[in-house]
Amino acid sequence: MMIPLVETSRIAIPKLGLGTWRMTGAEGQAAVESALALGYRHVDTAARYENEDAVGAALAASGLPRDQIFLTSKVWWDSLAPDALRRSLEESLARLATPYLDLFLVHWPAPGMDLPGIVAALHAARDAGLIRRWGVSNFNPGLMRQLEQLGAEPACLQVEYHALLSQRTLLDWCRPRGIALTAYSPLARGKVAEHAVLGEIGARHGAAPLQVALAWLLRQEGVVAIPKAARRQSQQANLDAVRLAAKLTPEDVAAIDGLPKDQRQVQPDFAPDWNG
């Protein structure tokens, strides 16, 4: 099936992608190959995942032209000095065996980071043809405002977002500016499967609670989701959620909107103040 695009003034990106965290080695390669065979055309990885070589091997094995795949990678927060950022990018490209990335993200902000220097390094990489677009991950509202004050125009913001965690403030910031919001951990690490409301909605549509939660995200303007799925069955179930998104009724959506929205799953000790 054809996965629809999120298309803004800054980016065009498949609305559903494959997250690859903790998918390494031969098993990781097989998982990416499976997803591409099913019709996925958006793969998300990162230097920190230590699987770029496996992802690159899967892309090569797929036989798909490079321009048919949207590929994202990220630089870790300890490599944000301009020279280190460039080295990290070049090493990612080498492991992925690709001349460019469709999207390159700052994975996490770092205290005291040189934001103007980071933006300049990202623009230099874009001008050199190493990346098509750049963005950030795990930035809070204050950091997004700082980027705008610098005149920077990130194409994407990647954050944890799911039916149990609101990102209303960041969505309201991103949408009018043409910034796509990519939801990582879009199934709340499986927690959404435990909610009776999602189960009831799923029963009406012949779908699993996880599919309902994913469909709720996929129907939203400007939102991309990248669920991790190693098994072919799970990859297909996530694909099927694309169709389900159009079938959710206003009552379904209102019920999901009413679920608790304060259950963050990803909170490392180096995370920023999410309300900052």
Side-chain angles (χ1 to χ4, degrees):
M1 65 173 293
M2 288 291 293
I3 297 171
L5 297 176
V6 166
E7 296 184 90
T8 77
S9 58
R10 298 188 186 181
I11 195 170
I13 179 173
K15 202 163 183 51
L16 177 69
L18 179 73
T20 64
W21 182 56
R22 289 186 172 173
M23 290 163 48
T24 59
E27 291 182 0
Q29 178 180 339
V32 176
E33 288 185 33
S34 168
L36 294 172
L38 286 172
Y40 284 76
R41 293 296 181 266
H42 172 191
V43 179
D44 181 278
T45 183
R48 188 67 173 183
Y49 297 170
E50 298 183 346
N51 67 359
E52 289 172 314
D53 53 348
V55 171
L59 299 182
S62 75
L64 291 166
R66 175 64 184 84
D67 62 5
Q68 289 187 16
I69 300 171
F70 191 102
L71 182 59
T72 300
S73 195
K74 314 177 192 78
V75 56
W76 194 238
W77 61 265
D78 63 357
S79 297
L80 297 182
D83 289 346
L85 185 151
R86 181 64 171 252
R87 281 196 303 274
S88 178
L89 170 59
E90 291 174 347
E91 289 166 359
S92 288
L93 292 173
R95 287 188 291 264
L96 289 161
T98 182
Y100 69 92
L101 292 172
D102 296 279
L103 181 63
F104 187 51
L105 303 177
V106 173
H107 204 154
W108 286 88
M113 62 183 172
D114 174 13
L115 205 51
I118 291 168
V119 171
L122 290 167
H123 287 176
R126 183 190 61 195
D127 294 344
L130 301 181
I131 62 176
R132 296 286 174 85
R133 305 157 195 85
W134 66 271
V136 294
S137 182
N138 298 301
F139 273 40
N140 62 18
L143 289 170
M144 296 305 290
R145 287 193 294 271
Q146 288 183 41
L147 283 173
E148 183 160 86
Q149 289 163 3
L150 291 171
E153 296 187 348
C156 182
L157 168 63
Q158 186 176 125
V159 289
E160 179 184 349
Y161 181 36
H162 45 73
L164 306 180
L165 181 67
S166 174
Q167 290 292 7
R168 175 56 51 194
T169 299
L170 289 172
L171 282 167
D172 288 347
W173 173 269
C174 289
R175 282 177 173 146
R177 292 166 173 82
I179 303 171
L181 188 140
T182 295
Y184 74 72
S185 296
L187 303 177
R189 295 186 170 175
K191 298 293 193 301
V192 293
E194 302 168 2
H195 279 265
V197 168
L198 296 171
E200 292 164 3
I201 295 171
R204 291 197 293 274
H205 293 284
L210 293 169
Q211 290 176 300
V212 172
L214 185 55
W216 176 80
L217 282 173
L218 293 172
R219 67 182 302 281
Q220 296 178 30
E221 175 195 352
V223 173
V224 177
I226 50 168
K228 181 184 72 172
R231 296 186 303 120
R232 189 179 183 88
Q233 180 181 1
S234 299
Q235 293 170 355
Q236 184 61 57
N238 292 340
L239 273 178
D240 292 342
V242 175
R243 294 190 183 95
L244 178 60
K247 298 178 182 178
L248 294 182
T249 68
E251 292 76 18
D252 295 334
V253 173
I256 301 169
D257 288 347
L259 293 176
K261 291 287 186 288
D262 58 354
Q263 299 184 39
R264 187 179 296 278
Q265 305 299 312
V266 181
Q267 182 68 7
D269 57 10
F270 51 79
D273 175 1
W274 297 115
N275 298 314

